[in-house]
Amino acid sequence: MRRAQLPLSLVEVAVGTTLILGVALGFALGTPAPDRQEPQLDAYAADTAAVLANDAPRHDGATRLQEVVSSQGAFDRERDALERRVARILPANVLFRVETPHGTVGTPTPRRVTTGVATVPTGYGRVRITVWYA
Amino acid sequence: MTAKKPADRRGQTSLPALGVALVLLTIVTGLGVAMADTAIAGADRTPNERRVAAAVADRLVAADGPLTVRENVLNRSRVDAFDRAALERTAPAASEYAVTVSLGGTELARSGTPRGGTRISRVVLVESSERRTLAPDRSSGGAVTLPRRSANATVTVDPPPGTTVWAVRANDRTVLYNRSGLNGTFDVSLNPYETTRLRFQHAGPLSPGNATVGYDATRATKATLVVTVDA
């Protein structure tokens, strides 16, 4: 019986093409897109920390940053003023969250956004500033 | 033997099909490698332009940078003196790339003309200082409080005849002392992290003109420093 046969090499080329395209597709889709926002966001976070460390305190203490972390009472008193100050330092399209040993101010950080982070050690603990684009 | 044996009728790989298969496979391999190469090049985390922009901006706001007095605090007169030569001295990359530095929308220095390019913005404070003088008045009991924190002050003592000023105290610290009387202009260094109250210890009347305190009243305004780099 004479059966029509597919040439074996065509079967091979189909299998090989699928294999190679699969690997190439893995490269194309598997590597995440480069993150172009991170250096800028990190710079914004570091700048916020530096500006807060340079501001004169409203009541007492050496700097504004030290004043807000010095005690729970001071933090509660300064919470709103700190939020306003940080909002004024950063551009309008940047949201922020400042975590101190006594509490946090700002917007909760959403998941899966690129953030910039700066951590400042103070005599009362670490202050962590996270910023991201709205 | 009239009929062919079944073995002769088996489907055989034909030579043209093999050739076509090889050519196809080679093309696909080439395409795949090219795609992978592009993907990896695109995933480069810090392309040169961005790296240079971030480094130049970092250098300009660093505590020991050419414009700054402290980290992120620029000095107004140094900002005014900044030019292309200073930029290239600070950031050697500026002579290879087209770099523009602008502060609050005003261009400070440029090397080349960037078209588009990569921008990095930094939030800075621009500090300008102005000399002010204060005199202690009688209501404050011969003391004067500096309204702004300052790292140093100039105390001028010119007592009238019959009056001796023997000490000047800053908060709890004696900064000037002369048992037989102070007379002249003195520079005193103060603690910039606390509010300073200067007290004159004197015998005899002391009117406001006889003792004055000069200090640098600094004013810091927020501004945005933008570095644009075009390769």
Side-chain angles (χ1 to χ4, degrees):
Chain A
M1 191 182 80
R2 193 185 167 93
R3 274 190 297 185
Q5 296 239 351
L6 198 62
L8 197 58
S9 23
L10 285 190
V11 176
E12 277 173 347
V13 84
V15 172
T17 307
T18 316
L19 205 76
I20 289 169
L21 279 184
V23 172
L25 220 65
F27 272 110
L29 303 179
T31 46
D35 204 341
R36 303 188 189 288
Q37 302 178 338
E38 202 173 333
Q40 177 65 77
L41 287 171
D42 273 343
Y44 277 144
D47 289 348
T48 308
V51 170
L52 284 182
N54 262 300
D55 278 355
R58 278 154 55 94
H59 298 88
D60 49 21
T63 69
R64 187 92 184 91
L65 193 65
Q66 190 235 322
E67 182 186 23
V68 294
V69 296
S70 60
S71 70
Q72 187 66 52
F75 179 79
D76 292 343
R77 185 188 67 214
E78 298 297 330
R79 179 193 289 266
D80 294 342
L82 177 67
E83 183 157 2
R84 275 197 302 277
R85 179 64 183 142
V86 178
R88 282 198 55 201
I89 292 171
L90 290 168
N93 60 334
V94 176
L95 297 181
F96 63 90
R97 181 175 182 80
V98 182
E99 293 166 29
T100 74
H102 299 296
T104 56
V105 296
T107 328
T109 316
R111 265 184 279 173
R112 289 187 201 156
V113 293
T114 307
T115 58
V117 180
T119 309
V120 202
T122 70
Y124 302 90
R126 283 173 185 280
V127 175
R128 187 181 157 89
I129 298 172
T130 312
V131 300
W132 64 94
Y133 284 117
Chain B
M1 273 207 183
T2 51
K4 276 185 179 176
K5 281 184 183 165
D8 292 340
R9 289 204 236 124
R10 273 192 302 188
Q12 296 250 348
T13 303
S14 57
L15 194 59
L18 184 69
V20 167
L22 279 178
V23 167
L24 275 180
L25 211 57
T26 313
I27 290 172
V28 167
T29 309
L31 279 180
V33 170
M35 261 170 81
D37 190 49
T38 321
I40 287 177
D44 186 0
R45 297 284 153 148
T46 45
N48 268 346
E49 240 176 57
R50 187 163 303 276
R51 187 158 47 212
V52 168
V56 171
D58 259 354
R59 186 78 195 95
L60 289 176
V61 301
D64 57 350
L67 300 174
T68 50
V69 267
R70 294 185 299 280
E71 198 185 336
N72 280 55
V73 182
L74 310 187
N75 181 315
R76 173 51 74 185
S77 52
R78 289 193 203 171
V79 167
D80 292 341
F82 193 65
D83 59 0
R84 180 178 179 166
L87 171 65
E88 285 178 1
R89 214 165 35 244
T90 313
S95 38
E96 288 174 40
Y97 294 83
V99 178
T100 317
V101 179
S102 63
L103 180 70
T106 327
E107 190 178 294
L108 299 184
R110 68 156 65 213
S111 69
T113 313
R115 280 188 205 84
T118 308
R119 287 154 45 103
I120 291 277
S121 316
R122 303 294 303 243
V123 180
V124 293
L125 297 174
V126 183
E127 200 175 76
S128 52
S129 68
E130 183 188 345
R131 201 76 185 162
R132 296 220 188 122
T133 54
L134 287 171
D137 54 9
R138 206 153 298 156
S139 61
S140 60
V144 56
T145 304
L146 298 186
R148 281 169 195 274
R149 293 167 180 216
S150 182
N152 52 57
T154 313
V155 177
T156 307
V157 184
D158 179 21
T163 299
T164 310
V165 178
W166 72 84
V168 177
R169 291 166 65 79
N171 296 344
D172 297 331
R173 198 162 58 93
T174 302
V175 288
L176 292 174
Y177 179 78
N178 190 340
R179 183 126 205 102
S180 53
L182 294 162
N183 192 347
T185 302
F186 308 91
D187 285 327
V188 298
S189 53
L190 306 172
N191 181 354
Y193 293 114
E194 59 180 23
T195 307
T196 310
R197 185 172 168 82
L198 288 169
R199 186 173 281 111
F200 292 84
Q201 296 188 319
H202 58 94
L206 192 69
S207 56
N210 295 135
T212 52
V213 178
Y215 69 99
D216 286 328
T218 53
R219 227 166 61 87
T221 45
K222 188 174 78 81
T224 312
L225 182 82
V226 180
V227 176
T228 312
V229 173
D230 191 10

